[in-house]
Amino acid sequence: MLDNSDDEENDESSSLLPKKKAHQNNLLEDRKSPHPNYSNYVSLPDSGHSTPTTDVNSKDEQIDSSNFDTASETHGFSFFALPRKQKAILCSICMADFLSYLSLSLLAPFFPQEAAAKGVSDAISGWIFGVFALSQVVFSPLFGKLLPHVGIKFMYLSGLFISGGCTLLFGALAYVPVDNGPMTFVFLCFLLRIVLSVGCTALNTACFTLCAKEFPDHIATVFGIGEVFVGVGFMSGPAIAGVLYGLGGFFTPFLVIGIILLICVPVNWIILPPDEDFQRSESNTSSFVLLKSPSIIIASFAIIVASLIWSILDPTLEPHLREFDLGPELIGVLFLVMSAFYAMSSPIWGWIADRCPDNRLLMIPGFLLSAVGMFLLGPSSLIGFPEDYNQLWLNIVALIILGVSASLALIPTFDIYIYFAEELGFEEDVNTYSLVAGLWGSMYAFGDFLGPTLGGTLLDVVGFQWCCTITAFSCLAMIPLLFFNYIFDRCKKNRNVKPTTIGQPEEQTTLLGDSVREDIRGDYMASYPPLTATQV
């Protein structure tokens, strides 16, 4: 009997030993992991040591859920590896980016001529273009604050509906009589452009928030993919509008694009998840609270300057190219060159930004290349070019550089906003994402408004060459701001790390690496020292 009991005890010990060894191996792997999961270990009631637990239901929920964070961290971002729901959401975001900027760029090829025929001056036409961006400066923070209360889906669909309706109504302005003067026509143009800005701002705010909510580990990558369709919308808008205008006149481009926008409303009602799937926050914070961070203020200046690189060329590039007698078609192609390279490079910079330890380091070469592009586009006499030097090939090279560099300077900014919002104590929820989206849209729109206004003034006062030179210096000014802001944050974090003193309890130990909760640490430390075979 004694022999049998001893054999049973030996059998039990031999069966427990592999389990303990496997458990210790799991602990060792977790300790080596950058994100150890200490909560998977609980104490055994008989031995006081910890063992991993398995919750089948929780694992099934994690597998079936749409959250793919673990897989994406391991394998990187891949569209084909996404669940069907997130594929549909990503396609919806890209479609919204394309259509919103397509509708925005419809006016370019024919509206100034039509407005002039109705007795509207060039200055008023310019303000009709610019009031869109000026309205976005005001409405973006408001929609960022409003979104958690109305929901992402509602704001998204409302933006699509308002954009489609205003696009249709703007085409109907062709039938407004101007016998008693153009005041009614001008008033309706301003009104519809402002309301169109409301729709596009609501749509873009919802898209940015949806991007951050559904793809939190790949924000810059998804943002870069969306910017591809922003560039495609800008590129194809004038071309599509020109063709449709030639086929049916002023009303036809707005009719076709407006109907497409309205058709997308029921389609996206099916695609988008319901609002109750998103965790809402009752916080009463505003976008202005984000500006308490110096890093966010500097990132805001970076967004304005990056947007200005684009928009300052709208009223200035065509007069600069008149001496080549290219015609409107070829000048339009040169505008498309910059947009095309912006669109092609955006997903690349987004992919790199998601893997960069600090995106400010990525923006510095972006602004440096933007300054080089502006110096060449002038071309600036400060780098040795004569005052009257102007070559077509040099303009093309400069536009290519600007397309690539503007993307590099702009793409990382949204991810930077979210990072420093969390540093200020904001939670990772819809409320924070919407506030960030509203502030980002406001800063971009301000640069988009400032560019044509400043560009037209500089063109008249100092000429195109010095206009580009001043823009280049604004890009160069961002480099030390970003660099010293990065160095300051690094030094601040190093000062906050306290050295370990012998004999004093520390929340952070060499064994655990990161600071963990006391209860989790107790369970984790219960497995030390490792058991031997005789102890088991």
Side-chain angles (χ1 to χ4, degrees):
M1 294 294 293
L2 293 174
D3 294 337
N4 291 337
S5 62
D6 291 340
D7 293 339
E8 290 176 358
E9 290 177 0
N10 292 334
D11 291 340
E12 184 179 358
S13 299
S14 62
S15 63
L16 285 174
L17 183 58
K19 295 180 181 179
K20 291 294 183 181
K21 288 182 177 179
H23 166 56
Q24 292 168 10
N25 291 335
N26 288 335
L27 289 173
L28 181 59
E29 291 176 0
D30 268 352
R31 218 168 55 229
K32 292 179 179 179
S33 172
H35 303 288
N37 187 7
Y38 304 114
S39 60
N40 288 338
Y41 299 92
V42 297
S43 298
L44 283 172
D46 55 346
S47 62
H49 295 284
S50 58
T51 184
T53 61
T54 303
D55 189 349
V56 176
N57 295 330
S58 64
K59 286 187 176 181
D60 290 340
E61 291 175 359
Q62 291 174 2
I63 294 174
D64 294 336
S65 69
S66 61
N67 192 341
F68 63 104
D69 295 344
T70 303
S72 63
E73 288 176 2
T74 304
H75 302 289
F77 182 84
S78 173
F79 176 80
F80 298 102
L82 296 178
R84 182 183 302 175
K85 169 189 171 184
Q86 286 169 326
K87 287 181 181 177
I89 290 175
L90 182 56
C91 291
S92 177
I93 292 173
C94 294
M95 178 211 64
D97 286 334
F98 172 75
L99 289 177
S100 61
Y101 285 91
L102 175 67
S103 62
L104 174 61
S105 60
L106 287 178
L107 299 181
F110 57 84
F111 180 79
Q113 178 182 353
E114 290 283 340
K118 293 180 179 292
V120 180
S121 66
D122 292 338
I124 297 297
S125 294
W127 275 100
I128 292 174
F129 277 91
V131 73
F132 182 95
L134 185 61
S135 301
Q136 280 189 314
V137 175
V138 178
F139 290 121
S140 287
L142 296 179
F143 284 126
K145 178 65 177 176
L146 181 64
L147 187 142
H149 301 283
V150 302
I152 295 176
K153 187 172 185 176
F154 177 82
M155 183 167 288
Y156 189 105
L157 298 178
S158 300
L160 271 178
F161 180 79
I162 294 173
S163 299
C166 285
T167 302
L168 279 173
L169 291 175
F170 202 94
L173 293 180
Y175 305 105
V176 173
V178 291
D179 297 337
N180 297 324
M183 289 302 299
T184 302
F185 175 80
V186 170
F187 172 77
L188 292 176
C189 284
F190 274 105
L191 178 63
L192 289 176
R193 288 288 286 180
I194 292 173
V195 179
L196 178 63
S197 174
V198 171
C200 289
T201 303
L203 181 60
N204 292 334
T205 303
C207 282
F208 291 151
T209 307
L210 191 61
C211 166
K213 182 65 179 178
E214 286 292 327
F215 307 94
D217 294 322
H218 299 283
I219 294 175
T221 299
V222 175
F223 187 74
I225 294 173
E227 289 299 297
V228 172
F229 290 87
V230 169
V232 172
F234 267 127
M235 287 189 296
S236 58
I240 293 173
V243 172
L244 294 175
Y245 177 79
L247 293 176
F250 185 91
F251 184 57
T252 305
F254 301 99
L255 175 66
V256 174
I257 303 303
I259 290 176
I260 293 175
L261 283 166
L262 293 177
I263 291 175
C264 289
V265 174
V267 173
N268 283 276
W269 182 81
I270 299 172
I271 291 176
L272 296 179
D275 287 329
E276 55 264 25
D277 285 354
F278 300 102
Q279 181 182 0
R280 301 184 186 183
S281 174
E282 300 299 330
S283 175
N284 293 321
T285 55
S286 66
S287 297
F288 297 103
V289 178
L290 295 172
L291 295 177
K292 290 182 178 179
S293 169
S295 298
I296 291 183
I297 294 175
I298 292 175
S300 300
F301 281 120
I303 295 170
I304 294 172
V305 174
S307 174
L308 185 142
I309 295 170
W310 277 85
S311 57
I312 201 169
L313 297 180
D314 289 341
T316 60
L317 184 59
E318 188 273 333
H320 173 65
L321 298 175
R322 284 176 186 171
E323 63 180 85
F324 299 113
D325 296 326
L326 298 178
E329 295 83 5
L330 291 178
I331 291 178
V333 170
L334 290 181
F335 273 102
L336 295 182
V337 168
M338 184 176 176
S339 300
F341 278 88
Y342 178 91
M344 289 188 293
S345 60
S346 290
I348 300 174
W349 301 135
W351 183 86
I352 295 175
D354 278 331
R355 287 152 179 80
C356 185
D358 195 308
N359 285 342
R360 286 172 291 186
L361 299 178
L362 196 60
M363 296 168 64
I364 290 174
F367 282 110
L368 180 61
L369 286 175
S370 297
V372 172
M374 279 295 175
F375 278 131
L376 293 178
L377 185 63
S380 177
S381 59
L382 297 181
I383 58 175
F385 288 100
E387 289 287 342
D388 56 348
Y389 188 85
N390 191 11
Q391 295 292 326
L392 183 59
W393 68 268
L394 187 60
N395 285 276
I396 295 174
V397 171
L399 290 173
I400 292 174
I401 295 174
L402 287 173
V404 175
S405 60
S407 174
L408 179 57
L410 185 64
I411 293 300
T413 54
F414 191 74
D415 204 7
I416 290 175
Y417 263 13
I418 292 179
Y419 175 80
F420 285 109
E422 294 171 0
E423 287 280 312
L424 288 174
F426 285 80
E427 298 180 358
E428 295 185 57
D429 57 12
V430 171
N431 187 63
T432 299
Y433 297 149
S434 61
L435 289 176
V436 168
L439 183 61
W440 191 96
S442 181
M443 294 298 105
Y444 184 88
F446 183 71
D448 202 24
F449 168 76
L450 186 64
T453 306
L454 183 63
T457 303
L458 290 176
L459 184 65
D460 291 338
V461 176
V462 297
F464 184 80
Q465 189 181 74
W466 278 100
C467 175
C468 291
T469 302
I470 294 172
T471 308
F473 277 115
S474 67
C475 295
L476 291 176
M478 290 308 307
I479 296 176
L481 284 176
L482 291 168
F483 178 75
F484 288 115
N485 177 239
Y486 167 76
I487 296 297
F488 176 80
D489 285 345
R490 288 295 300 271
C491 295
K492 183 179 179 181
K493 290 180 180 178
N494 291 337
R495 287 196 302 268
N496 291 336
V497 176
K498 298 180 180 179
T500 303
T501 304
I502 299 176
Q504 294 182 0
E506 293 288 339
E507 291 185 1
Q508 197 170 22
T509 66
T510 305
L511 176 63
L512 295 179
D514 296 331
S515 177
V516 296
R517 299 193 310 271
E518 289 297 330
D519 56 340
I520 296 178
R521 184 189 302 175
D523 291 338
Y524 184 73
M525 293 299 295
S527 62
Y528 285 87
L531 296 177
T532 62
T534 58
Q535 288 175 317
V536 176

